[in-house]
Amino acid sequence: MKHEFVTLNHVQTHLITFGNPFDCDGKDVIVCITGNPGIPDFYIEFAAELHKSTGLPLCVIGHAGHDIVPDEQSNVLKGQEHLFHLEGQIKHKLELINNYVDKQSKLHLIGHSIGCWLILELLRDNENLAMRLKSVNLLFPTLQKMAETRNGKFVNNYLRKFHNVLLFLYLVVSLLPTAIVNFLVGIYLRIFSLPSRYLKYILKFLNPNVGEKILFLAYDEMDTVKSLNVEILNKIKHFTNVIYSSRDNWAPVSYMEDLHQPEIPMREVNIDHAFVLKSSERVAEMVTQFINTKL
């Protein structure tokens, strides 16, 4: 596993790679696009299991601005909003695939949550990308009517209205002594039975520069993700796999009906939307099974 920093669409970006997806003699490559928050560290266990079980080189990409990077300008939202909304995130992912992933390689795309919507949008105007596809896995996909979901209503009715308060709380946390923040996060991890290694990942989430971009993207999702991109789904239905959760307040199982086509295998599981916290291996096993049918 490697942690790499590259500049994509003018934003320095933290990538996590297994094998060498950028130079692999044309071997198939897995590209995993995270949900929001787009902090790739949370996907390490999931990616490691996928790499181990498929033997394929792999790259995990989060979202522009959702990580702490050395380049200070890449951490600034004001005046650069166009780099961090959904349209900017599409260009961000497209530059990774077009300019870094081995150009001879076929692709297995994996999206989680809003990462699924980004995959469909990437395929909308990029025929060359569609021609490279071997498989697509849409995990707990937020593809339509996000603002109408239970969590979407919470974002619009509460988080959005108290945005300045949230930013103030981020600032307060950043001013607290490190020992106190670590202690409080440690309590959170114990309450929810999460591994201690998540401490450093959550500290990234609590960074004010990261937090404001997570919220900025979330609001754009509420305003933008409305209609299902049926046209693209029809084009990729023969090599697409979809997983929904019976307890998902971002992508309710009732939304499965909009996607239903005989050619698209869909599975309903009892796993949290944020599967990377506790169910990485289980979901990786399901994704591996599908990828292996397309090799």
Side-chain angles (χ1 to χ4, degrees):
M1 182 185 75
K2 291 183 180 179
H3 295 269
E4 305 189 39
F5 290 87
V6 301
T7 298
L8 303 172
N9 194 36
H10 310 291
V11 180
Q12 191 175 54
T13 303
H14 172 210
L15 304 174
I16 294 176
T17 61
F18 289 80
N20 188 353
F22 306 146
D23 185 10
C24 55
D25 295 324
K27 192 173 185 178
D28 285 9
V29 169
I30 298 173
V31 176
C32 177
I33 302 176
T34 72
N36 181 14
I39 301 172
D41 303 78
F42 284 106
Y43 293 76
I44 289 176
E45 184 178 351
F46 173 65
E49 186 63 27
L50 277 174
H51 176 64
K52 175 184 175 183
S53 56
T54 65
L56 298 179
L58 180 152
C59 178
V60 178
I61 180 171
H63 300 310
H66 289 207
D67 209 334
I68 302 166
V69 295
D71 177 53
E72 293 185 8
Q73 189 61 32
S74 295
N75 296 315
V76 177
L77 174 63
K78 189 175 182 179
Q80 301 190 116
E81 289 85 355
H82 63 288
L83 301 177
F84 303 110
H85 57 29
L86 283 171
E87 188 62 35
Q89 300 294 349
I90 292 170
K91 295 177 181 177
H92 181 251
K93 311 306 179 280
L94 188 61
E95 186 163 338
L96 170 73
I97 294 171
N98 286 346
N99 296 348
Y100 287 89
V101 173
D102 191 320
K103 290 180 173 56
Q104 305 304 313
S105 296
K106 296 292 186 178
L107 301 173
H108 300 269
L109 299 183
I110 300 172
H112 174 217
S113 192
I114 194 62
C116 302
W117 184 88
L118 290 171
I119 286 175
L120 296 191
E121 292 302 305
L122 282 167
L123 296 171
R124 183 194 293 272
D125 299 315
N126 298 284
E127 190 64 31
N128 290 338
L129 174 57
M131 292 175 64
R132 296 178 65 186
L133 285 184
K134 291 285 286 291
S135 74
V136 175
N137 279 270
L138 305 177
L139 311 179
F140 315 98
T142 53
L143 299 174
Q144 76 270 49
K145 299 180 289 188
M146 282 193 71
E148 298 178 27
T149 65
R150 182 175 178 180
N151 284 357
K153 291 176 182 178
F154 179 78
V155 169
N156 276 338
N157 295 337
Y158 296 97
L159 296 188
R160 208 162 191 167
K161 292 180 178 179
F162 295 97
H163 179 70
N164 289 333
V165 174
L166 291 172
L167 294 183
F168 176 73
L169 292 175
Y170 266 108
L171 179 61
V172 169
V173 171
S174 72
L175 296 175
L176 290 174
T178 301
I180 292 178
V181 176
N182 289 351
F183 175 72
L184 293 174
V185 174
I187 292 176
Y188 171 84
L189 294 175
R190 285 193 291 274
I191 289 174
F192 291 95
S193 302
L194 296 172
S196 59
R197 66 176 180 276
Y198 284 6
L199 170 65
K200 57 185 179 181
Y201 309 160
I202 293 175
L203 292 180
K204 290 184 178 184
F205 172 79
L206 294 175
N207 181 283
N209 287 327
V210 173
E212 67 175 351
K213 296 186 193 70
I214 289 171
L215 293 170
F216 177 76
L217 185 61
Y219 303 150
D220 194 30
E221 291 171 25
M222 298 305 106
D223 296 338
T224 304
V225 181
K226 295 180 179 180
S227 300
L228 180 66
N229 192 335
V230 177
E231 179 183 355
I232 297 302
L233 275 171
N234 282 333
K235 289 182 178 180
I236 64 173
K237 61 186 177 182
H238 294 291
F239 41 88
T240 295
N241 177 46
V242 184
I243 298 176
Y244 273 88
S245 170
S246 57
R247 48 180 166 143
D248 194 335
N249 291 322
W250 279 117
V253 291
S254 59
Y255 284 12
M256 290 176 71
E257 297 175 7
D258 297 339
L259 276 72
H260 185 68
Q261 297 187 46
E263 298 88 352
I264 301 179
M266 289 191 283
R267 182 180 305 193
E268 180 182 333
V269 296
N270 187 27
I271 293 174
D272 289 336
H273 181 82
F275 75 92
V276 291
L277 296 181
K278 293 184 177 181
S279 304
S280 288
E281 291 187 4
R282 183 177 170 192
V283 175
E285 181 181 357
M286 290 185 279
V287 173
T288 295
Q289 290 173 355
F290 185 74
I291 289 177
N292 284 340
T293 66
K294 303 301 179 181
L295 293 178

